[in-house]
Amino acid sequence: MDYWSPSVSVDDEFEKLVLRINPPRVTVDNASNKKATLIKVDSANKRGSLLEVVQVLTDLNLIIRRAYISSDGEWFMDVFHVTDQYGNKVSEDNIAERIQQSLGPRGRSFRSLTRSVGIQPTADHTTIELSGRDRPGLISEVFAILANLKCNVVAAEVWTHNSRMASVVYITDEENGFSIDDPDRLAKIKQLLLYVLKGDTDKRSANTEVSVGSTHTERRLHQMMYADRDYDNENENMNCMISDRSKPLVTAENYVDKGYTVVNVSCPDRPKLLFDTVCTLTDMQYVVFHATVIAEGPEAHQEYYIRHVDGCPISSEAEKQRVIHCLEAAIKRRTSEVLI
């Protein structure tokens, strides 16, 4: 028997109605600031809106020098000071349109985590997700198996951190160049890759699961590493290759009078830093109500006023430490980023 869930259906339709009545407004201002382009975003608030905007700016290879974020209530207003990779202002082009599309009714919805090994065919390629214990030669073994199974690797991205590995690999059939949709062949690919991932030392025992939908690659890698608990720092002192000088400083304190938890992040600036921290907070089920970001020099400073999705600030010291460790891990993962 099928069951209709009125709460989910009504909430979805209400959100779409609000967005139709009050569509997102995005302006690109090249006159107000001499050194940066100002991108202003006003929209009805929905869960994940901030991440979607930051994701678009990141995908456009824009560098966020400053950001002022406010989403307290039913509306959010964000201002981003951005430049291109060379420190120049950017042309308007399709920036506003891209952001509006991401926030509109057809934009990406908030997606839940999936685990370990997943394969999802698309029109052009099949996506393989891998996560497990890192060791020398692991990726070579994965690619060797795919080659033996007549799979062509179109592209791949690999992250390693704290003895864990996550990878998203895009493959096609070697003979016809299309995605692979034969269930038996997919099952064989997953079985062999799972065997390689487990090896003789992975005590966490990798799982196999077919992913649902198509999530942004870098967000998916963050999700996979988070699900694999790479933020557990039991091996951090032995495996971390980052010097104390460049180690991120993350603090979290409750602002009792206003009912927020205030999270501060200070670390060397780099591209995609804001995306990594916002992605982590969002996937940990926290909502950013206010934030200030300054990254105009070698150091970046981020301040977030957050609550859990249930409306409460962080309630325990253990939860506070978990947030700190997860943000530190998110910042450090890209130091081992590999593109193929």
Side-chain angles (χ1 to χ4, degrees), residues 13-32:
E13 290 304 316
F14 179 73
E15 182 179 281
K16 292 177 183 178
L17 177 61
V18 171
L19 288 170
R20 290 191 186 100
I21 297 174
N22 301 293
R25 295 193 299 272
V26 182
T27 59
V28 181
D29 178 5
N30 268 316
S32 299

Side-chain angles (χ1 to χ4, degrees), residues 186-206:
L186 290 177
K188 184 177 182 180
I189 292 172
K190 291 195 293 183
Q191 181 181 13
L192 292 177
L193 290 178
L194 186 61
Y195 176 79
V196 169
L197 283 175
K198 287 184 176 181
D200 298 324
T201 58
D202 192 352
K203 298 178 181 178
R204 299 185 187 183
S205 184

Side-chain angles (χ1 to χ4, degrees), residues 36 60 66 75 84-85 129 140 162 176 195 212 218 253 255 266 296 308 316 322 328:
L60 291 171
R66 282 179 176 261
W75 200 260
D84 63 18
Q85 294 174 302
E129 298 175 354
S140 296
N162 203 16
N176 59 35
Y195 176 79
V212 179
E218 293 178 343
E253 298 294 338
Y255 186 10
S266 296
E296 295 180 323
H308 195 266
S316 68
R322 182 164 170 263
E328 289 175 344

Side-chain angles (χ1 to χ4, degrees), residues 97-136:
E97 181 181 356
R98 287 278 297 271
I99 295 174
Q100 287 170 337
Q101 288 177 347
S102 75
L103 295 174
R106 297 181 181 179
R108 293 188 179 104
S109 60
F110 186 86
R111 296 181 176 93
S112 60
L113 306 184
T114 55
R115 293 188 298 275
S116 225
V117 180
I119 297 184
Q120 177 63 35
T122 67
D124 301 317
H125 57 254
T126 299
T127 303
I128 303 176
E129 298 175 354
L130 309 169
S131 66
R133 185 174 183 83
D134 188 30
R135 55 181 168 80

Side-chain angles (χ1 to χ4, degrees), residues 16-56:
K16 292 177 183 178
L17 177 61
V18 171
L19 288 170
R20 290 191 186 100
I21 297 174
N22 301 293
R25 295 193 299 272
V26 182
T27 59
V28 181
D29 178 5
N30 268 316
S32 299
N33 190 288
K34 293 181 179 180
K35 297 182 179 180
T37 299
L38 272 60
I39 299 177
K40 303 175 182 179
V41 183
D42 297 332
S43 174
N45 197 12
K46 66 173 182 176
R47 187 178 172 196
S49 293
L50 174 60
L51 176 57
E52 289 172 345
V53 174
V54 172
Q55 186 170 291
V56 170

